[in-house]
Amino acid sequence: MKLLEERIKKDGVVLPGNVLKVNQFLNHQIDPELMYKMGEEFARLFKDEEITKIITVESSGITPAVMAGLVMKLPVVFARKHKSLTLVDNLYTSDVYSYTKKVTNTISVDKKFLTSDDKVLIIDDFLANGQAVQGIFNICDAAGAEIKGVGIVIEKSFQEGAKIIHDRGVRLESLAVISSFDDNQVHFEGEE
Ligand code: 5GP
């Protein structure tokens, strides 16, 4: 998505550890117009997949997921990162190691919001080593929900995440694909 690539070039800051900071429009301050256009793009890409529900992880996945849900007219569920002290029996859970925060969170989804009737589109802000997506795969598997695809705002293709998704035979669509951060610059896949 050209508009997104241009915005990353303009506002993205490369941090040590192959982390891209995009606090200007995605991870802290949010640009709703750009987010809405992402929602339209996800809707276009996945329009033939007969999706019934969109799933993401709090917090930065929520905005692109809601925008896609708005355009596709589908409900959006976000996995919570903080353990509920009550109703533990009614939750699907999975442990997820966070690439940026270097901690393991137990993510959870209430069983009433995900069933074996659901055909799911997973959306997240970044794809690095695929731990967040794997956590949602585990939750969908526990619920018996069918995974129709994964939509990512920014994929870092030099990390392992895409392999996990492709090995499972799931369709992956990323709106921007970063191939390297050589010389602290963002380089996109297919760029000269
Ligand atoms: P993964 O689980 O694929 O290793 O990492 C994905 C999660 O880590 C995303 O949900 C995102 O919150 C965070 N993340 C991974 N890489 C980056 C990055 O380069 N920049 C930012 N801002 N977040 C990232």
Side-chain angles (χ1 to χ4, degrees), residues 18-20 27 99-100 124-132 156:
N18 286 325
V19 171
L20 180 70
N27 290 139
Y99 180 78
T100 46
D124 205 4
D125 59 339
F126 274 89
L127 180 63
N129 290 318
Q131 296 305 296
K156 294 180 288 180

Side-chain angles (χ1 to χ4, degrees), residues 24-182:
Q24 291 281 344
F25 62 93
L26 177 61
N27 290 139
H28 194 3
Q29 176 169 264
I30 289 170
D31 179 340
E33 273 182 75
L34 179 61
M35 294 294 145
Y36 188 76
K37 290 192 170 101
M38 291 177 189
E40 288 180 318
E41 185 60 6
F42 283 129
R44 187 185 70 77
L45 290 163
F46 290 103
K47 68 178 184 320
D48 297 326
E49 301 286 357
E50 296 177 347
I51 290 157
T52 65
K53 194 162 279 190
I54 296 173
I55 303 214
T56 187
V57 183
E58 68 173 347
S59 54
S60 292
I62 294 177
T63 315
V66 166
M67 293 300 178
L70 188 62
V71 180
M72 297 170 89
K73 299 189 179 7
L74 293 173
V76 178
V77 176
F78 64 91
R80 310 186 80 126
K81 279 181 181 160
H82 301 286
K83 250 191 194 152
S84 169
L85 296 175
T86 55
L87 297 174
V88 188
D89 289 350
N90 292 334
L91 301 175
Y92 296 116
T93 63
S94 181
D95 285 344
V96 173
Y97 179 74
S98 163
Y99 180 78
T100 46
K101 303 210 170 73
K102 313 284 180 225
V103 293
T104 299
N105 290 303
T106 303
I107 62 165
S108 61
V109 169
D110 192 309
K111 287 183 179 173
K112 72 170 173 268
F113 296 131
L114 191 62
T115 73
S116 55
D117 292 335
D118 281 314
K119 296 176 179 154
V120 167
L121 170 61
I122 297 166
I123 287 188
D124 205 4
D125 59 339
F126 274 89
L127 180 63
N129 290 318
Q131 296 305 296
V133 170
Q134 181 62 60
I136 305 183
F137 281 174
N138 295 343
I139 282 175
C140 289
D141 289 345
E146 189 181 344
I147 299 158
K148 295 298 245 176
V150 176
I152 297 290
V153 176
I154 303 173
E155 174 188 340
K156 294 180 288 180
S157 63
F158 54 89
Q159 295 180 293
E160 294 296 304
K163 187 178 181 313
I164 290 177
I165 296 164
H166 289 140
D167 282 355
R168 202 186 146 121
V170 170
R171 179 175 171 199
L172 167 65
E173 299 286 353
S174 303
L175 303 186
V177 182
I178 294 174
S179 55
S180 81
F181 291 134
D182 290 347

